[in-house]
Amino acid sequence: MTPTISDTENRTDDRYAVGRTEPETSGRREEFDESARNATICVVGLGYVGLPLAVGFARAEYRVIGYDVDESTVERLRSGAKTTGELPIDAVHEADISFTTKATAIADAEYVIVAVPTPIDDASRPDMSYVESAARTVGSRMSAGTTVVLESTVYPGATREVFMPALEDASGLTAGEDFFVGYSPERATPGDDDHGLEDVVKVVSGQNEKVLEDVARRYESIVDAGVHRAPSIEVAEASKVVENAQRDLNIAFVNELAIAFERMDVDTRAVLEAAETKWNFHGYRPGLVGGHCIPVDPYFLAYRTSRDGFEPELVRSGRSVNESMPDYVAELTIKALNRCHKTLRESRVLVLGLAYKPNVGDIRSSKVADVVDELREYDVHVEGFDPLASEDAVRESFDLEVQDRLTFEGFDAVVLSTPHAEFERVDLEAAANELAEDPALIDVGGVLDEGDAVEAGFTYRTL
């Protein structure tokens, strides 16, 4: 059934009434009370987090409204075209979702899930403007009794400090009495088909126990892996930033090792492979750290702890190391060109892979742009190719000449920066024959075989 927009400002809700008996739950989808699926859920923000949520709830036979301020996004979704690469081709077309840019539709929902971006500003501080704007939009339209769940990554305390007050100010209602608030951090992993919405345990929280249980049961109905009930909203908020801060630090450690071992003329990957033979060694690989989570979330943690007078030196140090890696990749490229006796101002370098991670087309927050900029500082001519990224978006964002068809002809070096699966199948010998004499190959992720590259005639470098 397609949701209709109606005046429900006077709707009441006794789900969280004092003394009400809570039903038993097991966390298993098949035991969820089917009558509860009569609820209408509105997902605010239809990007790589919000759209899979909307589809998931629609598949579970909830009435679902998908709201976004971007008219082009909504038009594409109405036509059945997905706007992210995280769903099967027909998933959006088959889902019964009412897509709209009209905020008045929010009034028809008993549950509103907000999934909007939370970037950092130029000073590496959390930018909460999208969250505040979404809260004002929701607050000004929602009905009494609505439960609002924030999914955006935020610093610990932000839901109560920023999101909840904005909802109250816009609605004139009181949180915990007239409406209810929960928090469930997104765990989307773009490009990973094995860890979609249904496959990853969902952390959930609520402003009190009854809100928590109700929100948990909603997510249990769409997440096969189940949910983890956090004891507070702040714990749930902190868990998300800690997840990615930990990964950032582990990658920073191996990136620092890569720099150290390069100066020792020791094979970093051989060292890591040897170390991994011990059962409790955690395997990470050096590389560029881009994207919307790992390079951002540590700053959310650092911002919050700094407010309380504690400076997280290790977290900031890890960020510093990973932020320096584009310069280091460019340095490796320059050294390789010099080893091949190339004149830098006359050198042409082809960068393969411009997205922020393998097998996705998203170039936002890609550190490859920084590699390109640094190479240009040496007057090196740089061109790019990415089979998944929009050529127009790359030209606009990178200010880079982009190939529409992969050709190696005339280039002095190739930088394999983002190893899409397609690049792992490149015929190295054929590529070397197209390239200029004595070509260099900088395999940032170390996905190609060094022996094959050397045999094909490349000077090979990796992190």
Side-chain angles (χ1 to χ4, degrees), residues 9 16 57-58 63 65 92-93 100-101 104 133 148 151 162 169 212 235 266 366 378-379 392 438 449:
E9 291 297 325
Y16 312 128
F57 280 112
R63 294 191 298 271
I65 300 167
V92 175
H93 179 70
T100 184
T101 57
T104 50
S133 177
V148 187
E151 285 235 357
V162 178
D169 289 345
L212 168 63
V235 166
V266 174
S366 172
Y378 292 90
D379 293 327
D392 290 340
D438 297 326
D449 184 271

Side-chain angles (χ1 to χ4, degrees), residues 16-166:
Y16 312 128
V18 175
R20 185 181 177 93
T21 301
E22 290 292 304
E24 294 182 1
T25 61
S26 67
R28 298 175 59 189
R29 180 187 300 189
E30 60 269 23
E31 295 185 14
F32 184 68
D33 182 2
E34 294 297 331
S35 65
R37 298 180 197 241
N38 291 328
T40 298
I41 295 175
C42 178
V43 178
V44 175
L46 300 173
Y48 75 97
V49 175
L51 184 57
L53 278 170
V55 171
F57 280 112
R59 283 174 173 168
E61 300 182 358
Y62 288 89
R63 294 191 298 271
V64 178
I65 300 167
Y67 168 78
D68 200 288
V69 296
D70 189 323
E71 292 185 3
S72 61
T73 294
V74 170
E75 284 303 314
R76 286 196 298 271
L77 292 171
R78 283 173 173 167
S79 68
K82 61 183 180 179
T83 60
T84 74
E86 311 315 309
L87 295 166
I89 294 174
D90 296 329
V92 175
H93 179 70
E94 294 173 354
D96 188 5
I97 303 171
S98 177
F99 294 110
T100 184
T101 57
K102 295 181 179 179
T104 50
I106 295 169
D108 211 38
E110 288 89 358
Y111 297 86
V112 179
I113 299 176
V114 176
V116 295
T118 45
I120 53 175
D121 63 18
D122 292 339
S124 298
R125 295 172 303 195
D127 177 358
M128 300 295 291
S129 61
Y130 294 96
V131 168
E132 289 188 85
S133 177
R136 287 193 295 269
T137 298
V138 173
S140 64
R141 304 304 197 285
M142 70 180 183
S143 308
T146 300
T147 297
V148 187
V149 181
L150 179 62
E151 285 235 357
S152 305
T153 300
V154 295
Y155 58 85
T159 301
R160 296 187 198 272
E161 295 175 8
V162 178
F163 188 63
M164 200 179 295

